[in-house]
mmCIF file of all heavy atoms in Angstrom:
data_model
loop_
_atom_site.group_PDB
_atom_site.id
_atom_site.type_symbol
_atom_site.label_atom_id
_atom_site.label_comp_id
_atom_site.label_asym_id
_atom_site.label_seq_id
_atom_site.Cartn_x
_atom_site.Cartn_y
_atom_site.Cartn_z
ATOM 1 N N ILE A 318 -2.761 9.710 -7.635
ATOM 2 C CA ILE A 318 -4.148 10.109 -7.358
ATOM 3 C C ILE A 318 -4.824 10.439 -8.683
ATOM 4 O O ILE A 318 -4.205 11.033 -9.565
ATOM 5 C CB ILE A 318 -4.219 11.357 -6.453
ATOM 6 C CG1 ILE A 318 -3.413 11.167 -5.162
ATOM 7 C CG2 ILE A 318 -5.673 11.703 -6.100
ATOM 8 C CD1 ILE A 318 -3.307 12.422 -4.311
ATOM 9 N N THR A 319 -6.101 10.071 -8.809
ATOM 10 C CA THR A 319 -6.854 10.484 -9.996
ATOM 11 C C THR A 319 -8.350 10.548 -9.692
ATOM 12 O O THR A 319 -8.837 9.886 -8.772
ATOM 13 C CB THR A 319 -6.618 9.528 -11.179
ATOM 14 O OG1 THR A 319 -7.137 10.115 -12.373
ATOM 15 C CG2 THR A 319 -7.302 8.184 -10.968
ATOM 16 N N ASN A 320 -9.034 11.350 -10.491
ATOM 17 C CA ASN A 320 -10.507 11.356 -10.473
ATOM 18 C C ASN A 320 -11.041 10.978 -11.854
ATOM 19 O O ASN A 320 -12.213 11.176 -12.145
ATOM 20 C CB ASN A 320 -11.048 12.723 -10.033
ATOM 21 C CG ASN A 320 -10.679 13.845 -10.999
ATOM 22 O OD1 ASN A 320 -9.860 13.659 -11.896
ATOM 23 N ND2 ASN A 320 -11.269 15.018 -10.799
ATOM 24 N N LYS A 321 -10.143 10.454 -12.698
ATOM 25 C CA LYS A 321 -10.512 10.074 -14.054
ATOM 26 C C LYS A 321 -10.897 8.595 -14.105
ATOM 27 O O LYS A 321 -10.232 7.753 -13.480
ATOM 28 C CB LYS A 321 -9.359 10.327 -15.029
ATOM 29 C CG LYS A 321 -8.841 11.764 -15.041
ATOM 30 C CD LYS A 321 -9.913 12.748 -15.465
ATOM 31 C CE LYS A 321 -9.359 14.172 -15.525
ATOM 32 N NZ LYS A 321 -10.393 15.168 -15.853
ATOM 33 N N LYS A 322 -11.928 8.295 -14.868
ATOM 34 C CA LYS A 322 -12.339 6.908 -15.039
ATOM 35 C C LYS A 322 -11.370 6.174 -15.965
ATOM 36 O O LYS A 322 -10.720 6.772 -16.806
ATOM 37 C CB LYS A 322 -13.751 6.843 -15.625
ATOM 38 C CG LYS A 322 -14.836 7.332 -14.675
ATOM 39 C CD LYS A 322 -16.208 7.179 -15.317
ATOM 40 C CE LYS A 322 -17.305 7.640 -14.360
ATOM 41 N NZ LYS A 322 -18.652 7.494 -14.964
ATOM 42 N N ASP A 323 -11.297 4.871 -15.762
ATOM 43 C CA ASP A 323 -10.555 3.971 -16.656
ATOM 44 C C ASP A 323 -9.052 4.194 -16.665
ATOM 45 O O ASP A 323 -8.368 3.822 -17.620
ATOM 46 C CB ASP A 323 -11.103 4.052 -18.084
ATOM 47 C CG ASP A 323 -12.577 3.672 -18.160
ATOM 48 O OD1 ASP A 323 -12.987 2.762 -17.424
ATOM 49 O OD2 ASP A 323 -13.310 4.304 -18.937
ATOM 50 N N ILE A 324 -8.523 4.799 -15.601
ATOM 51 C CA ILE A 324 -7.077 4.861 -15.412
ATOM 52 C C ILE A 324 -6.752 3.980 -14.211
ATOM 53 O O ILE A 324 -7.240 4.226 -13.106
ATOM 54 C CB ILE A 324 -6.577 6.294 -15.185
ATOM 55 C CG1 ILE A 324 -6.779 7.136 -16.441
ATOM 56 C CG2 ILE A 324 -5.106 6.294 -14.777
ATOM 57 C CD1 ILE A 324 -6.310 8.577 -16.302
ATOM 58 N N ALA A 325 -5.952 2.943 -14.440
ATOM 59 C CA ALA A 325 -5.634 1.979 -13.382
ATOM 60 C C ALA A 325 -4.335 2.361 -12.688
ATOM 61 O O ALA A 325 -3.254 2.310 -13.287
ATOM 62 C CB ALA A 325 -5.539 0.578 -13.972
ATOM 63 N N LEU A 326 -4.432 2.762 -11.440
ATOM 64 C CA LEU A 326 -3.268 3.150 -10.645
ATOM 65 C C LEU A 326 -2.676 1.922 -9.977
ATOM 66 O O LEU A 326 -3.392 1.105 -9.404
ATOM 67 C CB LEU A 326 -3.673 4.169 -9.575
ATOM 68 C CG LEU A 326 -4.452 5.400 -10.026
ATOM 69 C CD1 LEU A 326 -4.737 6.299 -8.817
ATOM 70 C CD2 LEU A 326 -3.700 6.166 -11.106
ATOM 71 N N THR A 327 -1.356 1.784 -10.020
ATOM 72 C CA THR A 327 -0.709 0.619 -9.409
ATOM 73 C C THR A 327 0.398 1.035 -8.450
ATOM 74 O O THR A 327 0.925 2.152 -8.501
ATOM 75 C CB THR A 327 -0.089 -0.300 -10.482
ATOM 76 O OG1 THR A 327 1.040 0.349 -11.080
ATOM 77 C CG2 THR A 327 -1.104 -0.661 -11.551
ATOM 78 N N SER A 328 0.752 0.104 -7.590
ATOM 79 C CA SER A 328 1.939 0.225 -6.742
ATOM 80 C C SER A 328 2.419 -1.191 -6.455
ATOM 81 O O SER A 328 1.677 -2.156 -6.633
ATOM 82 C CB SER A 328 1.628 0.976 -5.442
ATOM 83 O OG SER A 328 0.628 0.285 -4.693
ATOM 84 N N LYS A 329 3.670 -1.311 -6.011
ATOM 85 C CA LYS A 329 4.266 -2.632 -5.782
ATOM 86 C C LYS A 329 4.858 -2.714 -4.384
ATOM 87 O O LYS A 329 5.270 -1.700 -3.810
ATOM 88 C CB LYS A 329 5.366 -2.898 -6.819
ATOM 89 C CG LYS A 329 4.897 -2.798 -8.253
ATOM 90 C CD LYS A 329 6.067 -2.926 -9.219
ATOM 91 C CE LYS A 329 5.601 -2.697 -10.646
ATOM 92 N NZ LYS A 329 6.684 -2.819 -11.633
ATOM 93 N N ASN A 330 4.920 -3.947 -3.881
ATOM 94 C CA ASN A 330 5.567 -4.116 -2.575
ATOM 95 C C ASN A 330 6.074 -5.534 -2.363
ATOM 96 O O ASN A 330 5.761 -6.455 -3.111
ATOM 97 C CB ASN A 330 4.626 -3.716 -1.434
ATOM 98 C CG ASN A 330 3.605 -4.807 -1.098
ATOM 99 O OD1 ASN A 330 3.326 -5.704 -1.900
ATOM 100 N ND2 ASN A 330 3.033 -4.722 0.082
ATOM 101 N N ALA A 331 6.883 -5.667 -1.323
ATOM 102 C CA ALA A 331 7.315 -6.962 -0.810
ATOM 103 C C ALA A 331 7.674 -6.719 0.642
ATOM 104 O O ALA A 331 8.819 -6.845 1.037
ATOM 105 C CB ALA A 331 8.487 -7.513 -1.600
ATOM 106 N N ASP A 332 6.712 -6.286 1.421
ATOM 107 C CA ASP A 332 6.751 -5.947 2.853
ATOM 108 C C ASP A 332 6.228 -4.539 3.125
ATOM 109 O O ASP A 332 5.625 -4.298 4.176
ATOM 110 C CB ASP A 332 8.146 -6.054 3.491
ATOM 111 C CG ASP A 332 8.589 -7.487 3.712
ATOM 112 O OD1 ASP A 332 7.713 -8.359 3.906
ATOM 113 O OD2 ASP A 332 9.807 -7.741 3.669
ATOM 114 N N CYS A 333 6.490 -3.593 2.226
ATOM 115 C CA CYS A 333 6.035 -2.223 2.449
ATOM 116 C C CYS A 333 4.504 -2.150 2.459
ATOM 117 O O CYS A 333 3.824 -3.027 1.932
ATOM 118 C CB CYS A 333 6.573 -1.301 1.368
ATOM 119 S SG CYS A 333 8.376 -1.173 1.345
ATOM 120 N N ILE A 334 3.977 -1.080 3.037
ATOM 121 C CA ILE A 334 2.529 -0.879 3.061
ATOM 122 C C ILE A 334 2.074 -0.284 1.734
ATOM 123 O O ILE A 334 2.698 0.636 1.213
ATOM 124 C CB ILE A 334 2.114 0.080 4.199
ATOM 125 C CG1 ILE A 334 2.680 -0.378 5.537
ATOM 126 C CG2 ILE A 334 0.588 0.164 4.282
ATOM 127 C CD1 ILE A 334 2.511 0.645 6.652
ATOM 128 N N LEU A 335 0.991 -0.807 1.196
ATOM 129 C CA LEU A 335 0.307 -0.197 0.065
ATOM 130 C C LEU A 335 -1.070 0.246 0.540
ATOM 131 O O LEU A 335 -1.822 -0.555 1.097
ATOM 132 C CB LEU A 335 0.175 -1.186 -1.099
ATOM 133 C CG LEU A 335 1.487 -1.763 -1.653
ATOM 134 C CD1 LEU A 335 1.192 -2.664 -2.838
ATOM 135 C CD2 LEU A 335 2.460 -0.655 -2.044
ATOM 136 N N PHE A 336 -1.373 1.538 0.329
ATOM 137 C CA PHE A 336 -2.661 2.099 0.717
ATOM 138 C C PHE A 336 -3.514 2.347 -0.517
ATOM 139 O O PHE A 336 -3.036 2.927 -1.502
ATOM 140 C CB PHE A 336 -2.483 3.447 1.427
ATOM 141 C CG PHE A 336 -1.804 3.379 2.753
ATOM 142 C CD1 PHE A 336 -0.431 3.583 2.854
ATOM 143 C CD2 PHE A 336 -2.527 3.132 3.918
ATOM 144 C CE1 PHE A 336 0.206 3.534 4.085
ATOM 145 C CE2 PHE A 336 -1.899 3.086 5.151
ATOM 146 C CZ PHE A 336 -0.537 3.284 5.233
ATOM 147 N N LEU A 337 -4.761 1.931 -0.472
ATOM 148 C CA LEU A 337 -5.738 2.314 -1.486
ATOM 149 C C LEU A 337 -6.720 3.272 -0.827
ATOM 150 O O LEU A 337 -7.276 2.963 0.233
ATOM 151 C CB LEU A 337 -6.482 1.081 -2.013
ATOM 152 C CG LEU A 337 -5.620 0.010 -2.680
ATOM 153 C CD1 LEU A 337 -6.486 -1.174 -3.107
ATOM 154 C CD2 LEU A 337 -4.851 0.569 -3.862
ATOM 155 N N PHE A 338 -6.919 4.434 -1.439
ATOM 156 C CA PHE A 338 -7.867 5.421 -0.924
ATOM 157 C C PHE A 338 -9.005 5.606 -1.916
ATOM 158 O O PHE A 338 -8.795 5.550 -3.127
ATOM 159 C CB PHE A 338 -7.182 6.771 -0.696
ATOM 160 C CG PHE A 338 -6.156 6.784 0.403
ATOM 161 C CD1 PHE A 338 -4.800 6.639 0.111
ATOM 162 C CD2 PHE A 338 -6.534 6.937 1.722
ATOM 163 C CE1 PHE A 338 -3.846 6.656 1.113
ATOM 164 C CE2 PHE A 338 -5.588 6.955 2.743
ATOM 165 C CZ PHE A 338 -4.239 6.810 2.440
ATOM 166 N N TYR A 339 -10.199 5.852 -1.370
ATOM 167 C CA TYR A 339 -11.346 6.116 -2.243
ATOM 168 C C TYR A 339 -12.285 7.093 -1.553
ATOM 169 O O TYR A 339 -12.670 6.896 -0.393
ATOM 170 C CB TYR A 339 -12.098 4.823 -2.556
ATOM 171 C CG TYR A 339 -13.373 5.022 -3.345
ATOM 172 C CD1 TYR A 339 -13.362 5.716 -4.557
ATOM 173 C CD2 TYR A 339 -14.589 4.514 -2.891
ATOM 174 C CE1 TYR A 339 -14.527 5.906 -5.289
ATOM 175 C CE2 TYR A 339 -15.758 4.686 -3.618
ATOM 176 C CZ TYR A 339 -15.725 5.384 -4.809
ATOM 177 O OH TYR A 339 -16.883 5.570 -5.530
ATOM 178 N N ASP A 340 -12.636 8.153 -2.264
ATOM 179 C CA ASP A 340 -13.651 9.096 -1.798
ATOM 180 C C ASP A 340 -14.905 8.853 -2.638
ATOM 181 O O ASP A 340 -14.950 9.220 -3.815
ATOM 182 C CB ASP A 340 -13.172 10.541 -1.979
ATOM 183 C CG ASP A 340 -14.185 11.570 -1.476
ATOM 184 O OD1 ASP A 340 -15.377 11.217 -1.326
ATOM 185 O OD2 ASP A 340 -13.793 12.726 -1.251
ATOM 186 N N PRO A 341 -15.927 8.227 -2.049
ATOM 187 C CA PRO A 341 -17.138 7.911 -2.818
ATOM 188 C C PRO A 341 -17.995 9.129 -3.139
ATOM 189 O O PRO A 341 -18.880 9.052 -3.990
ATOM 190 C CB PRO A 341 -17.890 6.952 -1.889
ATOM 191 C CG PRO A 341 -17.412 7.292 -0.519
ATOM 192 C CD PRO A 341 -15.985 7.719 -0.675
ATOM 193 N N ILE A 342 -17.720 10.255 -2.496
ATOM 194 C CA ILE A 342 -18.474 11.486 -2.765
ATOM 195 C C ILE A 342 -17.895 12.205 -3.977
ATOM 196 O O ILE A 342 -18.601 12.541 -4.934
ATOM 197 C CB ILE A 342 -18.477 12.421 -1.540
ATOM 198 C CG1 ILE A 342 -18.967 11.668 -0.288
ATOM 199 C CG2 ILE A 342 -19.342 13.655 -1.817
ATOM 200 C CD1 ILE A 342 -20.367 11.097 -0.400
ATOM 201 N N LYS A 343 -16.604 12.445 -3.956
ATOM 202 C CA LYS A 343 -15.934 13.162 -5.047
ATOM 203 C C LYS A 343 -15.434 12.231 -6.147
ATOM 204 O O LYS A 343 -14.948 12.707 -7.175
ATOM 205 C CB LYS A 343 -14.761 13.983 -4.496
ATOM 206 C CG LYS A 343 -15.175 15.087 -3.532
ATOM 207 C CD LYS A 343 -16.021 16.132 -4.241
ATOM 208 C CE LYS A 343 -16.364 17.281 -3.293
ATOM 209 N NZ LYS A 343 -17.160 18.324 -3.969
ATOM 210 N N LYS A 344 -15.542 10.923 -5.908
ATOM 211 C CA LYS A 344 -15.081 9.932 -6.893
ATOM 212 C C LYS A 344 -13.595 10.135 -7.223
ATOM 213 O O LYS A 344 -13.200 10.384 -8.366
ATOM 214 C CB LYS A 344 -15.919 10.013 -8.179
ATOM 215 C CG LYS A 344 -17.410 9.795 -7.951
ATOM 216 C CD LYS A 344 -17.703 8.378 -7.466
ATOM 217 C CE LYS A 344 -19.195 8.055 -7.442
ATOM 218 N NZ LYS A 344 -19.936 8.774 -6.409
ATOM 219 N N VAL A 345 -12.787 9.991 -6.193
ATOM 220 C CA VAL A 345 -11.339 10.137 -6.306
ATOM 221 C C VAL A 345 -10.682 8.899 -5.702
ATOM 222 O O VAL A 345 -11.122 8.410 -4.661
ATOM 223 C CB VAL A 345 -10.838 11.395 -5.563
ATOM 224 C CG1 VAL A 345 -9.312 11.512 -5.645
ATOM 225 C CG2 VAL A 345 -11.497 12.642 -6.120
ATOM 226 N N ILE A 346 -9.648 8.391 -6.369
ATOM 227 C CA ILE A 346 -8.900 7.262 -5.838
ATOM 228 C C ILE A 346 -7.424 7.625 -5.710
ATOM 229 O O ILE A 346 -6.924 8.533 -6.385
ATOM 230 C CB ILE A 346 -9.034 6.003 -6.723
ATOM 231 C CG1 ILE A 346 -8.633 6.307 -8.177
ATOM 232 C CG2 ILE A 346 -10.440 5.424 -6.645
ATOM 233 C CD1 ILE A 346 -8.568 5.078 -9.079
ATOM 234 N N ALA A 347 -6.728 6.886 -4.845
ATOM 235 C CA ALA A 347 -5.280 7.042 -4.712
ATOM 236 C C ALA A 347 -4.666 5.685 -4.409
ATOM 237 O O ALA A 347 -5.318 4.812 -3.825
ATOM 238 C CB ALA A 347 -4.934 8.036 -3.607
ATOM 239 N N ASN A 348 -3.421 5.538 -4.816
ATOM 240 C CA ASN A 348 -2.668 4.315 -4.565
ATOM 241 C C ASN A 348 -1.291 4.743 -4.082
ATOM 242 O O ASN A 348 -0.571 5.433 -4.806
ATOM 243 C CB ASN A 348 -2.578 3.481 -5.846
ATOM 244 C CG ASN A 348 -2.117 2.053 -5.595
ATOM 245 O OD1 ASN A 348 -1.463 1.762 -4.612
ATOM 246 N ND2 ASN A 348 -2.456 1.168 -6.521
ATOM 247 N N VAL A 349 -0.936 4.361 -2.861
ATOM 248 C CA VAL A 349 0.263 4.906 -2.220
ATOM 249 C C VAL A 349 1.148 3.795 -1.682
ATOM 250 O O VAL A 349 0.683 2.885 -0.989
ATOM 251 C CB VAL A 349 -0.129 5.859 -1.071
ATOM 252 C CG1 VAL A 349 1.121 6.378 -0.363
ATOM 253 C CG2 VAL A 349 -0.963 7.020 -1.602
ATOM 254 N N HIS A 350 2.438 3.888 -1.993
ATOM 255 C CA HIS A 350 3.456 2.949 -1.492
ATOM 256 C C HIS A 350 4.186 3.604 -0.326
ATOM 257 O O HIS A 350 4.723 4.711 -0.449
ATOM 258 C CB HIS A 350 4.444 2.623 -2.614
ATOM 259 C CG HIS A 350 5.721 2.007 -2.136
ATOM 260 N ND1 HIS A 350 6.902 2.719 -2.049
ATOM 261 C CD2 HIS A 350 6.009 0.752 -1.719
ATOM 262 C CE1 HIS A 350 7.866 1.930 -1.618
ATOM 263 N NE2 HIS A 350 7.353 0.731 -1.405
ATOM 264 N N SER A 351 4.211 2.899 0.801
ATOM 265 C CA SER A 351 4.823 3.480 1.998
ATOM 266 C C SER A 351 5.589 2.421 2.791
ATOM 267 O O SER A 351 5.031 1.706 3.612
ATOM 268 C CB SER A 351 3.738 4.109 2.896
ATOM 269 O OG SER A 351 4.305 4.660 4.064
ATOM 270 N N GLY A 352 6.887 2.332 2.524
ATOM 271 C CA GLY A 352 7.751 1.525 3.375
ATOM 272 C C GLY A 352 8.024 2.298 4.657
ATOM 273 O O GLY A 352 7.389 3.321 4.921
#
Side-chain angles (χ1 to χ4, degrees):
I318 306 173
T319 192
N320 63 349
K321 304 298 182 184
K322 292 182 179 180
D323 301 323
I324 294 180
L326 308 181
T327 70
S328 60
K329 303 174 185 181
N330 79 340
D332 286 331
C333 297
I334 307 170
L335 302 183
F336 293 95
L337 300 178
F338 293 97
Y339 175 54
D340 181 341
I342 307 300
K343 296 296 183 179
K344 302 295 189 290
V345 178
I346 55 173
N348 194 336
V349 177
H350 163 257
S351 179

